[in-house]
Amino acid sequence: MTALIEIERLTKRFGAFTAVDDVSFAVERGEVVGFLGPNGAGKSTTMRMLAGFMAPTSGTARICGADVVDAPVKAKRALGFLPEGAPTYPEMTVSAFLAFCGRVRGYGGKELAARVADAMARTRVEGVRLQPIETLSKGFKRRVGLAQALLHDPPVLVLDEPTDGLDPNQKHEVRQLIQDMAPDKAIVISTHILEEVEAVCTRAIIIAHGRIIVDATPRALLETGHTLDIVFRKLTTGEAA
Amino acid sequence: MIAVLRRELAAYFATPVAYVFIVIFLVMSGALTFTLGNFFARNQSDLIPFFSFIPWLFLFLVPALTMRLWAEERRLGTIELLLTLPIAQWRAVVGKFLAAWAFCGIALALTFPLWITVTWLGDPDHGVILAGYLGCMMVAGAYLALGAAVSAATKNQVIAFVIAVAACFVFSAAGSPVVTEFLSANIPMLADVARALSVSDRVNGFTRGVISARDLVFFASFIGFWLFVNTVVLDLRKAD
């Protein structure tokens, strides 16, 4: 079985600055990869390239075998992407926004309605379905963004900080949701919260200054005898020195 | 593409933008026609005074529509969402453009009382009036495509507006006697180019009821060119 996400020697430069430097990894079905790193380490840039938003300077990324540069529409069909900050159209209602995303994805009629209803149920936003998104709290906005990513039940999910801004209960719910979906998807989440990696991820990739410095299971990291916190600090600041 | 068009069009009416635009457009076009245009005193049953002001009104109003098209998406970050949906980039560009164009069409259609007035008072040539409306749509399309391309280059709506007005003005003024006379006196080669690129020159034909293939081709290629520029700019400047 080939991996659902394949990233090979991915590099992104902005002028003289190298944001992502020769990053390679693959994610199989059933894996949940926690993408960790300090701010500015290149997490979002990597995810944006994987989602086909930014073109890589060099290297390739494939989703379900489709190259994100050569076959962008095919790759995007197989992908659910939650961009950083979960951007949504503020003046639209929750259900109108999700229906728009569904329509762009080619759904219509009953199937569209069913998919929107299902995505709203899974992310628990039915209660606010007719409210304009701008009137919602940060937690709801994030979940609407998540609903958009789940709408088409994609085999690959790329979620940039899915639990940012949620309260502890909501965080728990989102983690539960990710775990429930994990067996038949390949999922990449970026996060600052190390306990989240322990809770939901089967693998942790730590990135600093655009390079992968660790690619291991959370258990293996813990077996070094330290908490994940200490491991993280040692690895990411050690690199800077 | 249809989904993008629908969402954009709905977005106009979800905010006061649509209503402010339509009201201002109708008031200004009506007022200009009856005052400066001497609608009654001319004693002719046509809409030439009305059509002659439309390109100048659009010069300011159309950039107000286009300034948010991409700049707003960039500011909100929704550009990242839109461009990671499974839709080719040019479709998103064309969808947005068509929505704005349809909106201009609605605003123009709402000037129908003028048409009724002139029909009631006299016996106008309806073919000429239809051609005039077509010409107005062409100008709107040209300015919209230009404005949208400018909007794609920035996340600041004010900058998008000012630059779009300036750019539209260049293409309107290019055919005015002041510019062409100056150019033919100094740089004769450019005078023809300026006249050929002038949007306002082209629209005069429509107002007189002449729909020429040359003018239609001009507008189609003008719009096509700027939509292409829009797509390219978007590709180059996705994130800041």
Side-chain angles (χ1 to χ4, degrees):
Chain A
M1 191 181 79
T2 57
L4 293 183
I5 301 175
E6 300 162 277
I7 291 182
E8 276 164 31
R9 313 208 61 179
L10 204 63
T11 301
K12 180 72 184 178
R13 287 191 203 90
F14 297 105
F17 174 69
T18 306
V20 175
D21 192 3
D22 202 13
V23 164
S24 303
F25 62 89
V27 186
E28 312 256 346
R29 191 182 297 274
E31 278 191 296
V32 181
V33 172
F35 213 40
L36 292 163
N39 284 331
K43 299 189 297 283
S44 288
T45 307
T46 305
M47 290 179 137
R48 281 174 172 168
M49 284 191 281
L50 184 56
F53 178 63
M54 268 181 193
T57 309
S58 66
T60 55
R62 281 189 297 275
I63 292 173
C64 295
D67 190 295
V68 297
V69 177
D70 298 335
V73 175
K74 191 168 173 235
K76 285 168 187 171
R77 271 203 197 106
L79 168 77
F81 178 50
L82 175 71
E84 189 178 16
T88 44
Y89 295 103
E91 79 282 355
M92 296 181 96
T93 63
V94 173
S95 62
F97 172 70
L98 293 176
F100 160 69
C101 295
R103 262 186 228 113
V104 173
R105 291 192 181 275
Y107 300 119
K110 277 192 183 138
E111 192 182 7
L112 177 67
R115 288 207 176 256
V116 169
D118 179 56
M120 287 196 292
R122 286 207 276 171
T123 50
R124 309 199 180 192
V125 293
E126 310 108 307
V128 294
R129 50 191 291 271
L130 295 178
Q131 277 189 41
I133 294 171
E134 62 193 341
T135 64
L136 300 178
S137 68
K138 207 175 167 193
F140 270 120
K141 281 180 187 159
R142 180 80 32 161
R143 282 186 282 165
V144 172
L146 203 56
Q148 164 275 126
L150 304 179
L151 189 75
H152 50 301
D153 196 24
V156 173
L157 274 178
V158 176
L159 310 175
D160 202 344
E161 302 190 349
T163 59
D164 188 42
L166 301 185
D167 68 34
N169 291 335
Q170 294 166 337
K171 275 185 183 147
H172 180 76
E173 274 171 23
V174 169
R175 283 175 201 161
Q176 196 65 49
L177 183 64
I178 292 173
Q179 263 173 338
D180 291 346
M181 293 185 300
D184 48 30
K185 293 190 195 306
I187 303 177
V188 178
I189 61 170
S190 80
T191 179
H192 291 300
I193 308 158
L194 298 167
E195 47 166 309
E196 198 158 286
V197 178
E198 289 180 66
V200 295
C201 298
T202 59
R203 195 169 140 201
I205 292 178
I206 300 181
I207 181 170
H209 304 282
R211 289 170 170 274
I212 292 181
I213 47 179
V214 172
D215 185 345
T217 62
R219 188 180 298 274
L221 285 179
L222 287 172
E223 273 166 7
T224 56
H226 301 292
T227 64
L228 219 44
D229 253 332
I230 294 172
V231 175
F232 179 80
R233 203 169 309 129
K234 214 156 77 183
L235 287 169
T236 52
T237 53
E239 178 86 7
Chain B
M1 198 151 93
I2 303 296
V4 175
L5 195 162
R6 270 178 70 171
R7 196 208 79 74
E8 285 292 325
L9 204 54
Y12 284 121
F13 290 98
T15 56
V17 175
Y19 305 102
V20 171
F21 180 92
I22 289 179
V23 168
I24 297 283
F25 173 71
L26 293 179
V27 168
M28 301 248 319
S29 63
L32 286 171
T33 306
F34 286 104
T35 56
L36 286 176
N38 285 326
F39 184 71
F40 290 123
R42 288 174 77 243
N43 231 348
Q44 289 179 26
S45 60
D46 58 31
L47 288 179
I48 284 178
F50 166 70
F51 289 131
S52 65
F53 288 117
I54 294 285
W56 297 105
L57 265 180
F58 277 165
L59 181 60
F60 293 98
L61 289 177
V62 165
L65 279 184
T66 56
M67 67 180 191
R68 51 169 286 287
L69 276 186
W70 293 102
E72 175 88 343
E73 297 259 2
R74 215 181 271 285
R75 195 179 59 81
L76 291 172
T78 45
I79 189 166
E80 203 169 333
L81 180 86
L82 181 64
L83 297 182
T84 53
L85 286 170
I87 173 173
Q89 238 169 68
W90 66 268
R91 285 177 192 272
V93 169
V94 173
K96 269 173 176 286
F97 166 76
L98 288 179
W101 209 11
F103 181 77
C104 284
I106 293 171
L108 265 178
L110 288 174
T111 61
F112 71 90
L114 273 177
W115 194 344
I116 293 176
T117 310
V118 87
T119 311
W120 187 54
L121 291 174
D123 183 25
D125 185 334
H126 294 290
V128 174
I129 289 177
L130 266 179
Y133 272 112
L134 181 65
C136 291
M137 278 307 280
M138 290 296 141
V139 177
Y143 289 170
L144 281 172
L146 181 54
V150 171
S151 178
T154 174
K155 69 171 166 189
N156 186 316
Q157 296 198 23
V158 177
I159 293 177
F161 176 78
V162 173
I163 295 181
V165 171
C168 290
F169 181 74
V170 167
F171 283 103
S172 306
S176 75
V178 185
V179 176
T180 45
E181 270 162 32
F182 171 81
L183 283 178
S184 42
N186 297 294
I187 332 167
M189 236 171 60
L190 279 180
D192 288 334
V193 177
R195 198 171 298 137
L197 286 177
S198 162
V199 170
S200 51
D201 238 25
R202 298 274 172 184
V203 93
N204 286 337
F206 287 95
T207 341
R208 288 193 303 266
V210 185
I211 302 174
S212 76
R214 281 180 59 186
D215 291 343
L216 285 177
V217 168
F218 167 78
F219 279 112
S221 25
F222 192 92
I223 291 168
F225 173 76
W226 287 110
L227 291 182
F228 173 71
V229 170
N230 189 342
T231 313
V232 171
V233 168
L234 215 53
D235 224 9
L236 293 175
R237 298 213 43 199
K238 273 183 185 163
D240 304 297

